Amino acid sequence: MSALLVTAGCRRQDVRLGPIGPEAYRAFLASRTGSALGPGFLQCPSWAEVKPGWQARLLGWGPESGPGAGELNGVALVLLRQFPGTRKYFAYLPEGPVADWTDPDIDGWLGPLLRHLRSCGAFAVRIGPAPAHRSWSAAALKAHTGPGRRLSDVLACEVDPLGTAVAERLRARGWRRCGDDGEAAGDAQPRYVFRVPLAGRGPEDLWSGLNQEWRRNIRRAHKSGVRVELGGPAELPEFHRLLRITEERDGFRLGRSLAYYERQYAALNAEQPGRMKLYLARHRGEILAAHTMITVGRRVWYQTGASADHRREVRPSNALQWQMMLDAHAQGAEVYDMRGVPSTLDPDDRPFGLLRWKLGTGGQAVETLGEWETPLSGTANHALHRAFQLYLARR
C-alpha cells in the first residue's frame, strides 16, 4: 500500500487509509478477499474514465500492524464534483465503498474514509452500501399486482438482517437515505433491481424458471430465424440509434450520448478484455435489438437494452436475454443482475411493463439499501450540503 495518509484507532487494530494505484486496486478486486465483498462495475477503476466532469480518487485501507499489516481489506473509487464558485467537492462513491459491511465496527474504516475526504476538500459524501434490504419472488409480485399497488405494499419474502443492521448503524451516525426525507435528491443508481440467481442451477433449471410466455417467445425467436451474436465498437452507433427509439417508445430518457457508450466500452475492456460485451439480435440480416452486459468477478449485469419498433413479433429481446443468461452461467457467474425496475405494481402505469417483462425470468425483485449522504463536520460544510440539495432539487 502506498502513500497511506490517515491512521485511526479502532477496537481491534489500527487502520491505515490512503491513495493507491490502479494495479493495486484491481489486484484487490480480483483477490479472494475482494471477490468475497462482491464489487460492482461502478467501483472499478475504469469507471472513472467513463464519467467526465468528475475528479477520481482510488483509495484503499487495511491493518497498520499485526497479522495482514500492509495488505488491503477495502477499497473505494471516489468521484469528486466541484461545487460551483467554491473549492469544495461533493464526494460520490457509486455502489461503494467495497468494504466488509458485516464488520460491526463500522467506524474503524468509515471514520478514516470520511476524514480523508474532508482533507481533500469534500463537504459531503454519498455512498451506496452493498447489502440488500428486502426481496420478493416473481410469484409473490405477480399475485399482488393491481391499481395503485407498489412493491412496498407487499410483504417481503425475505428481509436481509445485515441490510437492516447497516441501515441502523448509518442512521445512528447521522447518515440519511437519499430521498427518504423529501429534501435530499433521490438515488442516482436504482434502488430496486431484479436479479436471477445462477449459483447451483443448470441450464435446465434456468429454462424451467422462465414463465410460459418467455419460453414461447424464445422458441418463436429461434423458429423465426433470429440469430444472437457478439458485436463490437463498430455496432455501437446502431445500438445507440435503437436506444433512442426505445426511449421514445417506452417513455424514458437516459440522455447518454454515443460518445458515452464508446468511452465506456473502450475503458472497461481496456481494463479487462470482455468486461463489457455488446449482444446483437439479427433477423434477415438486420439488427433488431442490442443489449450490453458487464462482468466483474462472479457477477454479471445486463446494463442497457435497445430494440427496434418493427418486427417485434419475432421477439429479439427475449432471445438476447436468454443467450446472455446462458453465457453468464457458463462463465461461472453466481447472479444475473438485470438492474433497475420500477416500484409500481399497477398494470396501468407505463413503467410497470419493464417489471412485468423481467418478472418472466423467474428471478427476484430486490430493494437495495439505496444511497446515503452525510455532510462532513463543520458549519460551512453543512451549509454547502443544504445548498447542494437545493441545487439538485431544481435540476
PDB file of all heavy atoms in Angstrom, residues 84-114:
ATOM      1  N   PRO A  84     -19.986  24.714  -7.757  1.00  0.00           N
ATOM      2  CA  PRO A  84     -19.708  25.962  -8.479  1.00  0.00           C
ATOM      3  C   PRO A  84     -19.389  27.122  -7.546  1.00  0.00           C
ATOM      4  O   PRO A  84     -20.066  27.342  -6.542  1.00  0.00           O
ATOM      5  CB  PRO A  84     -21.009  26.217  -9.253  1.00  0.00           C
ATOM      6  CG  PRO A  84     -21.617  24.859  -9.429  1.00  0.00           C
ATOM      7  CD  PRO A  84     -21.264  24.106  -8.188  1.00  0.00           C
ATOM      8  N   GLY A  85     -18.326  27.834  -7.871  1.00  0.00           N
ATOM      9  CA  GLY A  85     -17.954  29.023  -7.127  1.00  0.00           C
ATOM     10  C   GLY A  85     -17.187  28.766  -5.854  1.00  0.00           C
ATOM     11  O   GLY A  85     -16.944  29.699  -5.078  1.00  0.00           O
ATOM     12  N   THR A  86     -16.828  27.513  -5.600  1.00  0.00           N
ATOM     13  CA  THR A  86     -16.093  27.186  -4.381  1.00  0.00           C
ATOM     14  C   THR A  86     -14.920  26.265  -4.724  1.00  0.00           C
ATOM     15  O   THR A  86     -14.777  25.805  -5.851  1.00  0.00           O
ATOM     16  CB  THR A  86     -16.991  26.457  -3.352  1.00  0.00           C
ATOM     17  OG1 THR A  86     -17.207  25.104  -3.784  1.00  0.00           O
ATOM     18  CG2 THR A  86     -18.335  27.150  -3.201  1.00  0.00           C
ATOM     19  N   ARG A  87     -14.119  25.992  -3.729  1.00  0.00           N
ATOM     20  CA  ARG A  87     -13.057  24.993  -3.855  1.00  0.00           C
ATOM     21  C   ARG A  87     -13.433  23.717  -3.118  1.00  0.00           C
ATOM     22  O   ARG A  87     -12.571  22.930  -2.737  1.00  0.00           O
ATOM     23  CB  ARG A  87     -11.739  25.555  -3.314  1.00  0.00           C
ATOM     24  CG  ARG A  87     -11.197  26.732  -4.119  1.00  0.00           C
ATOM     25  CD  ARG A  87      -9.866  27.202  -3.563  1.00  0.00           C
ATOM     26  NE  ARG A  87      -9.326  28.314  -4.344  1.00  0.00           N
ATOM     27  CZ  ARG A  87      -8.190  28.938  -4.073  1.00  0.00           C
ATOM     28  NH1 ARG A  87      -7.469  28.542  -3.016  1.00  0.00           N
ATOM     29  NH2 ARG A  87      -7.773  29.937  -4.817  1.00  0.00           N
ATOM     30  N   LYS A  88     -14.712  23.538  -2.928  1.00  0.00           N
ATOM     31  CA  LYS A  88     -15.228  22.392  -2.210  1.00  0.00           C
ATOM     32  C   LYS A  88     -15.817  21.365  -3.186  1.00  0.00           C
ATOM     33  O   LYS A  88     -16.252  21.706  -4.286  1.00  0.00           O
ATOM     34  CB  LYS A  88     -16.303  22.823  -1.212  1.00  0.00           C
ATOM     35  CG  LYS A  88     -15.756  23.615  -0.032  1.00  0.00           C
ATOM     36  CD  LYS A  88     -15.053  22.681   0.948  1.00  0.00           C
ATOM     37  CE  LYS A  88     -14.733  23.373   2.261  1.00  0.00           C
ATOM     38  NZ  LYS A  88     -14.204  22.413   3.264  1.00  0.00           N
ATOM     39  N   TYR A  89     -15.880  20.083  -2.718  1.00  0.00           N
ATOM     40  CA  TYR A  89     -16.296  19.000  -3.589  1.00  0.00           C
ATOM     41  C   TYR A  89     -17.368  18.131  -2.932  1.00  0.00           C
ATOM     42  O   TYR A  89     -17.366  17.920  -1.718  1.00  0.00           O
ATOM     43  CB  TYR A  89     -15.100  18.098  -3.935  1.00  0.00           C
ATOM     44  CG  TYR A  89     -14.014  18.800  -4.691  1.00  0.00           C
ATOM     45  CD1 TYR A  89     -12.999  19.463  -3.996  1.00  0.00           C
ATOM     46  CD2 TYR A  89     -13.988  18.806  -6.079  1.00  0.00           C
ATOM     47  CE1 TYR A  89     -11.980  20.119  -4.671  1.00  0.00           C
ATOM     48  CE2 TYR A  89     -12.974  19.451  -6.771  1.00  0.00           C
ATOM     49  CZ  TYR A  89     -11.978  20.107  -6.064  1.00  0.00           C
ATOM     50  OH  TYR A  89     -10.981  20.757  -6.746  1.00  0.00           O
ATOM     51  N   PHE A  90     -18.255  17.645  -3.785  1.00  0.00           N
ATOM     52  CA  PHE A  90     -19.194  16.604  -3.390  1.00  0.00           C
ATOM     53  C   PHE A  90     -18.547  15.273  -3.730  1.00  0.00           C
ATOM     54  O   PHE A  90     -18.135  15.044  -4.866  1.00  0.00           O
ATOM     55  CB  PHE A  90     -20.520  16.763  -4.134  1.00  0.00           C
ATOM     56  CG  PHE A  90     -21.522  15.687  -3.840  1.00  0.00           C
ATOM     57  CD1 PHE A  90     -22.162  15.632  -2.618  1.00  0.00           C
ATOM     58  CD2 PHE A  90     -21.827  14.719  -4.798  1.00  0.00           C
ATOM     59  CE1 PHE A  90     -23.095  14.638  -2.343  1.00  0.00           C
ATOM     60  CE2 PHE A  90     -22.749  13.730  -4.529  1.00  0.00           C
ATOM     61  CZ  PHE A  90     -23.386  13.684  -3.302  1.00  0.00           C
ATOM     62  N   ALA A  91     -18.414  14.380  -2.747  1.00  0.00           N
ATOM     63  CA  ALA A  91     -17.757  13.091  -2.941  1.00  0.00           C
ATOM     64  C   ALA A  91     -18.808  12.003  -3.123  1.00  0.00           C
ATOM     65  O   ALA A  91     -19.703  11.845  -2.285  1.00  0.00           O
ATOM     66  CB  ALA A  91     -16.866  12.758  -1.748  1.00  0.00           C
ATOM     67  N   TYR A  92     -18.693  11.265  -4.211  1.00  0.00           N
ATOM     68  CA  TYR A  92     -19.667  10.232  -4.554  1.00  0.00           C
ATOM     69  C   TYR A  92     -18.960   8.894  -4.756  1.00  0.00           C
ATOM     70  O   TYR A  92     -18.004   8.803  -5.530  1.00  0.00           O
ATOM     71  CB  TYR A  92     -20.415  10.650  -5.827  1.00  0.00           C
ATOM     72  CG  TYR A  92     -21.457   9.658  -6.314  1.00  0.00           C
ATOM     73  CD1 TYR A  92     -22.266   8.959  -5.427  1.00  0.00           C
ATOM     74  CD2 TYR A  92     -21.642   9.450  -7.678  1.00  0.00           C
ATOM     75  CE1 TYR A  92     -23.219   8.076  -5.879  1.00  0.00           C
ATOM     76  CE2 TYR A  92     -22.603   8.564  -8.141  1.00  0.00           C
ATOM     77  CZ  TYR A  92     -23.385   7.877  -7.236  1.00  0.00           C
ATOM     78  OH  TYR A  92     -24.335   6.988  -7.690  1.00  0.00           O
ATOM     79  N   LEU A  93     -19.423   7.882  -4.045  1.00  0.00           N
ATOM     80  CA  LEU A  93     -18.889   6.532  -4.169  1.00  0.00           C
ATOM     81  C   LEU A  93     -20.005   5.658  -4.739  1.00  0.00           C
ATOM     82  O   LEU A  93     -20.784   5.065  -3.991  1.00  0.00           O
ATOM     83  CB  LEU A  93     -18.432   5.985  -2.811  1.00  0.00           C
ATOM     84  CG  LEU A  93     -17.143   6.561  -2.201  1.00  0.00           C
ATOM     85  CD1 LEU A  93     -17.328   8.010  -1.742  1.00  0.00           C
ATOM     86  CD2 LEU A  93     -16.672   5.705  -1.041  1.00  0.00           C
ATOM     87  N   PRO A  94     -20.155   5.577  -6.068  1.00  0.00           N
ATOM     88  CA  PRO A  94     -21.273   4.838  -6.653  1.00  0.00           C
ATOM     89  C   PRO A  94     -21.209   3.349  -6.311  1.00  0.00           C
ATOM     90  O   PRO A  94     -20.227   2.675  -6.600  1.00  0.00           O
ATOM     91  CB  PRO A  94     -21.108   5.064  -8.156  1.00  0.00           C
ATOM     92  CG  PRO A  94     -19.660   5.405  -8.344  1.00  0.00           C
ATOM     93  CD  PRO A  94     -19.246   6.114  -7.092  1.00  0.00           C
ATOM     94  N   GLU A  95     -22.249   2.874  -5.625  1.00  0.00           N
ATOM     95  CA  GLU A  95     -22.339   1.484  -5.182  1.00  0.00           C
ATOM     96  C   GLU A  95     -21.064   1.064  -4.444  1.00  0.00           C
ATOM     97  O   GLU A  95     -20.575  -0.057  -4.592  1.00  0.00           O
ATOM     98  CB  GLU A  95     -22.666   0.554  -6.348  1.00  0.00           C
ATOM     99  CG  GLU A  95     -24.028   0.878  -6.953  1.00  0.00           C
ATOM    100  CD  GLU A  95     -24.498  -0.111  -7.998  1.00  0.00           C
ATOM    101  OE1 GLU A  95     -23.763  -1.066  -8.314  1.00  0.00           O
ATOM    102  OE2 GLU A  95     -25.607   0.085  -8.528  1.00  0.00           O
ATOM    103  N   GLY A  96     -20.538   1.971  -3.650  1.00  0.00           N
ATOM    104  CA  GLY A  96     -19.330   1.703  -2.890  1.00  0.00           C
ATOM    105  C   GLY A  96     -19.427   2.373  -1.528  1.00  0.00           C
ATOM    106  O   GLY A  96     -20.404   3.047  -1.212  1.00  0.00           O
ATOM    107  N   PRO A  97     -18.407   2.187  -0.691  1.00  0.00           N
ATOM    108  CA  PRO A  97     -17.124   1.558  -0.988  1.00  0.00           C
ATOM    109  C   PRO A  97     -17.209   0.028  -0.999  1.00  0.00           C
ATOM    110  O   PRO A  97     -18.207  -0.554  -0.574  1.00  0.00           O
ATOM    111  CB  PRO A  97     -16.232   2.034   0.161  1.00  0.00           C
ATOM    112  CG  PRO A  97     -17.185   2.192   1.307  1.00  0.00           C
ATOM    113  CD  PRO A  97     -18.459   2.715   0.695  1.00  0.00           C
ATOM    114  N   VAL A  98     -16.137  -0.594  -1.510  1.00  0.00           N
ATOM    115  CA  VAL A  98     -16.022  -2.053  -1.476  1.00  0.00           C
ATOM    116  C   VAL A  98     -15.424  -2.402  -0.116  1.00  0.00           C
ATOM    117  O   VAL A  98     -14.211  -2.342   0.078  1.00  0.00           O
ATOM    118  CB  VAL A  98     -15.129  -2.568  -2.625  1.00  0.00           C
ATOM    119  CG1 VAL A  98     -15.060  -4.088  -2.602  1.00  0.00           C
ATOM    120  CG2 VAL A  98     -15.656  -2.070  -3.971  1.00  0.00           C
ATOM    121  N   ALA A  99     -16.287  -2.714   0.818  1.00  0.00           N
ATOM    122  CA  ALA A  99     -15.871  -2.871   2.210  1.00  0.00           C
ATOM    123  C   ALA A  99     -16.607  -4.032   2.853  1.00  0.00           C
ATOM    124  O   ALA A  99     -17.599  -4.537   2.316  1.00  0.00           O
ATOM    125  CB  ALA A  99     -16.153  -1.578   2.988  1.00  0.00           C
ATOM    126  N   ASP A 100     -16.144  -4.432   4.020  1.00  0.00           N
ATOM    127  CA  ASP A 100     -16.778  -5.508   4.768  1.00  0.00           C
ATOM    128  C   ASP A 100     -17.912  -4.922   5.610  1.00  0.00           C
ATOM    129  O   ASP A 100     -17.703  -4.495   6.752  1.00  0.00           O
ATOM    130  CB  ASP A 100     -15.746  -6.211   5.655  1.00  0.00           C
ATOM    131  CG  ASP A 100     -16.344  -7.377   6.424  1.00  0.00           C
ATOM    132  OD1 ASP A 100     -17.514  -7.725   6.166  1.00  0.00           O
ATOM    133  OD2 ASP A 100     -15.643  -7.931   7.288  1.00  0.00           O
ATOM    134  N   TRP A 101     -19.117  -4.930   5.054  1.00  0.00           N
ATOM    135  CA  TRP A 101     -20.258  -4.354   5.745  1.00  0.00           C
ATOM    136  C   TRP A 101     -20.735  -5.227   6.896  1.00  0.00           C
ATOM    137  O   TRP A 101     -21.574  -4.797   7.699  1.00  0.00           O
ATOM    138  CB  TRP A 101     -21.395  -4.110   4.761  1.00  0.00           C
ATOM    139  CG  TRP A 101     -21.076  -3.028   3.785  1.00  0.00           C
ATOM    140  CD1 TRP A 101     -20.635  -3.177   2.509  1.00  0.00           C
ATOM    141  CD2 TRP A 101     -21.164  -1.614   4.014  1.00  0.00           C
ATOM    142  NE1 TRP A 101     -20.431  -1.945   1.925  1.00  0.00           N
ATOM    143  CE2 TRP A 101     -20.751  -0.975   2.825  1.00  0.00           C
ATOM    144  CE3 TRP A 101     -21.540  -0.829   5.105  1.00  0.00           C
ATOM    145  CZ2 TRP A 101     -20.709   0.414   2.694  1.00  0.00           C
ATOM    146  CZ3 TRP A 101     -21.509   0.554   4.976  1.00  0.00           C
ATOM    147  CH2 TRP A 101     -21.098   1.158   3.781  1.00  0.00           C
ATOM    148  N   THR A 102     -20.210  -6.449   7.010  1.00  0.00           N
ATOM    149  CA  THR A 102     -20.564  -7.290   8.157  1.00  0.00           C
ATOM    150  C   THR A 102     -19.810  -6.875   9.413  1.00  0.00           C
ATOM    151  O   THR A 102     -20.156  -7.313  10.514  1.00  0.00           O
ATOM    152  CB  THR A 102     -20.256  -8.777   7.880  1.00  0.00           C
ATOM    153  OG1 THR A 102     -18.840  -8.963   7.766  1.00  0.00           O
ATOM    154  CG2 THR A 102     -20.933  -9.250   6.600  1.00  0.00           C
ATOM    155  N   ASP A 103     -18.793  -6.050   9.267  1.00  0.00           N
ATOM    156  CA  ASP A 103     -17.977  -5.613  10.397  1.00  0.00           C
ATOM    157  C   ASP A 103     -18.808  -4.690  11.295  1.00  0.00           C
ATOM    158  O   ASP A 103     -19.205  -3.604  10.874  1.00  0.00           O
ATOM    159  CB  ASP A 103     -16.749  -4.875   9.873  1.00  0.00           C
ATOM    160  CG  ASP A 103     -15.770  -4.488  10.981  1.00  0.00           C
ATOM    161  OD1 ASP A 103     -16.095  -4.704  12.171  1.00  0.00           O
ATOM    162  OD2 ASP A 103     -14.692  -3.962  10.658  1.00  0.00           O
ATOM    163  N   PRO A 104     -19.092  -5.098  12.545  1.00  0.00           N
ATOM    164  CA  PRO A 104     -19.883  -4.219  13.417  1.00  0.00           C
ATOM    165  C   PRO A 104     -19.150  -2.945  13.795  1.00  0.00           C
ATOM    166  O   PRO A 104     -19.778  -1.952  14.179  1.00  0.00           O
ATOM    167  CB  PRO A 104     -20.140  -5.104  14.649  1.00  0.00           C
ATOM    168  CG  PRO A 104     -19.034  -6.107  14.637  1.00  0.00           C
ATOM    169  CD  PRO A 104     -18.720  -6.365  13.204  1.00  0.00           C
ATOM    170  N   ASP A 105     -17.815  -2.961  13.684  1.00  0.00           N
ATOM    171  CA  ASP A 105     -17.020  -1.764  13.991  1.00  0.00           C
ATOM    172  C   ASP A 105     -16.896  -0.919  12.732  1.00  0.00           C
ATOM    173  O   ASP A 105     -15.814  -0.720  12.193  1.00  0.00           O
ATOM    174  CB  ASP A 105     -15.648  -2.166  14.520  1.00  0.00           C
ATOM    175  CG  ASP A 105     -14.820  -0.950  14.934  1.00  0.00           C
ATOM    176  OD1 ASP A 105     -15.433   0.087  15.258  1.00  0.00           O
ATOM    177  OD2 ASP A 105     -13.593  -1.046  14.909  1.00  0.00           O
ATOM    178  N   ILE A 106     -18.023  -0.421  12.265  1.00  0.00           N
ATOM    179  CA  ILE A 106     -18.056   0.337  11.019  1.00  0.00           C
ATOM    180  C   ILE A 106     -17.202   1.598  11.103  1.00  0.00           C
ATOM    181  O   ILE A 106     -16.625   2.052  10.108  1.00  0.00           O
ATOM    182  CB  ILE A 106     -19.523   0.665  10.640  1.00  0.00           C
ATOM    183  CG1 ILE A 106     -19.620   1.195   9.205  1.00  0.00           C
ATOM    184  CG2 ILE A 106     -20.140   1.641  11.618  1.00  0.00           C
ATOM    185  CD1 ILE A 106     -21.043   1.364   8.739  1.00  0.00           C
ATOM    186  N   ASP A 107     -17.086   2.165  12.303  1.00  0.00           N
ATOM    187  CA  ASP A 107     -16.291   3.380  12.461  1.00  0.00           C
ATOM    188  C   ASP A 107     -14.809   3.127  12.226  1.00  0.00           C
ATOM    189  O   ASP A 107     -14.062   4.050  11.906  1.00  0.00           O
ATOM    190  CB  ASP A 107     -16.482   3.958  13.872  1.00  0.00           C
ATOM    191  CG  ASP A 107     -17.888   4.471  14.092  1.00  0.00           C
ATOM    192  OD1 ASP A 107     -18.444   5.065  13.160  1.00  0.00           O
ATOM    193  OD2 ASP A 107     -18.433   4.260  15.193  1.00  0.00           O
ATOM    194  N   GLY A 108     -14.380   1.870  12.393  1.00  0.00           N
ATOM    195  CA  GLY A 108     -12.967   1.559  12.237  1.00  0.00           C
ATOM    196  C   GLY A 108     -12.438   1.846  10.852  1.00  0.00           C
ATOM    197  O   GLY A 108     -11.260   2.180  10.690  1.00  0.00           O
ATOM    198  N   TRP A 109     -13.318   1.704   9.818  1.00  0.00           N
ATOM    199  CA  TRP A 109     -12.862   2.013   8.456  1.00  0.00           C
ATOM    200  C   TRP A 109     -13.626   3.175   7.832  1.00  0.00           C
ATOM    201  O   TRP A 109     -13.103   3.895   6.992  1.00  0.00           O
ATOM    202  CB  TRP A 109     -12.966   0.776   7.559  1.00  0.00           C
ATOM    203  CG  TRP A 109     -14.321   0.133   7.504  1.00  0.00           C
ATOM    204  CD1 TRP A 109     -14.784  -0.888   8.282  1.00  0.00           C
ATOM    205  CD2 TRP A 109     -15.394   0.475   6.631  1.00  0.00           C
ATOM    206  NE1 TRP A 109     -16.078  -1.204   7.944  1.00  0.00           N
ATOM    207  CE2 TRP A 109     -16.477  -0.392   6.929  1.00  0.00           C
ATOM    208  CE3 TRP A 109     -15.550   1.417   5.614  1.00  0.00           C
ATOM    209  CZ2 TRP A 109     -17.703  -0.336   6.261  1.00  0.00           C
ATOM    210  CZ3 TRP A 109     -16.770   1.476   4.933  1.00  0.00           C
ATOM    211  CH2 TRP A 109     -17.825   0.611   5.264  1.00  0.00           C
ATOM    212  N   LEU A 110     -14.878   3.404   8.266  1.00  0.00           N
ATOM    213  CA  LEU A 110     -15.648   4.505   7.692  1.00  0.00           C
ATOM    214  C   LEU A 110     -15.156   5.854   8.218  1.00  0.00           C
ATOM    215  O   LEU A 110     -15.107   6.833   7.466  1.00  0.00           O
ATOM    216  CB  LEU A 110     -17.132   4.321   8.017  1.00  0.00           C
ATOM    217  CG  LEU A 110     -18.121   5.255   7.316  1.00  0.00           C
ATOM    218  CD1 LEU A 110     -17.968   5.164   5.805  1.00  0.00           C
ATOM    219  CD2 LEU A 110     -19.551   4.922   7.727  1.00  0.00           C
ATOM    220  N   GLY A 111     -14.766   5.905   9.473  1.00  0.00           N
ATOM    221  CA  GLY A 111     -14.259   7.154  10.042  1.00  0.00           C
ATOM    222  C   GLY A 111     -13.027   7.669   9.318  1.00  0.00           C
ATOM    223  O   GLY A 111     -12.983   8.842   8.911  1.00  0.00           O
ATOM    224  N   PRO A 112     -11.986   6.836   9.135  1.00  0.00           N
ATOM    225  CA  PRO A 112     -10.820   7.293   8.379  1.00  0.00           C
ATOM    226  C   PRO A 112     -11.157   7.734   6.960  1.00  0.00           C
ATOM    227  O   PRO A 112     -10.573   8.682   6.443  1.00  0.00           O
ATOM    228  CB  PRO A 112      -9.911   6.060   8.375  1.00  0.00           C
ATOM    229  CG  PRO A 112     -10.290   5.311   9.601  1.00  0.00           C
ATOM    230  CD  PRO A 112     -11.765   5.519   9.754  1.00  0.00           C
ATOM    231  N   LEU A 113     -12.104   7.052   6.329  1.00  0.00           N
ATOM    232  CA  LEU A 113     -12.506   7.434   4.973  1.00  0.00           C
ATOM    233  C   LEU A 113     -13.094   8.842   4.960  1.00  0.00           C
ATOM    234  O   LEU A 113     -12.727   9.677   4.122  1.00  0.00           O
ATOM    235  CB  LEU A 113     -13.526   6.423   4.440  1.00  0.00           C
ATOM    236  CG  LEU A 113     -14.139   6.746   3.076  1.00  0.00           C
ATOM    237  CD1 LEU A 113     -13.073   6.717   1.984  1.00  0.00           C
ATOM    238  CD2 LEU A 113     -15.264   5.755   2.747  1.00  0.00           C
ATOM    239  N   LEU A 114     -13.980   9.140   5.893  1.00  0.00           N
ATOM    240  CA  LEU A 114     -14.601  10.464   5.929  1.00  0.00           C
ATOM    241  C   LEU A 114     -13.574  11.551   6.251  1.00  0.00           C
ATOM    242  O   LEU A 114     -13.614  12.641   5.656  1.00  0.00           O
ATOM    243  CB  LEU A 114     -15.729  10.479   6.965  1.00  0.00           C
ATOM    244  CG  LEU A 114     -16.921   9.561   6.675  1.00  0.00           C
ATOM    245  CD1 LEU A 114     -17.989   9.723   7.751  1.00  0.00           C
ATOM    246  CD2 LEU A 114     -17.505   9.831   5.297  1.00  0.00           C
TER     247      LEU A 114
END
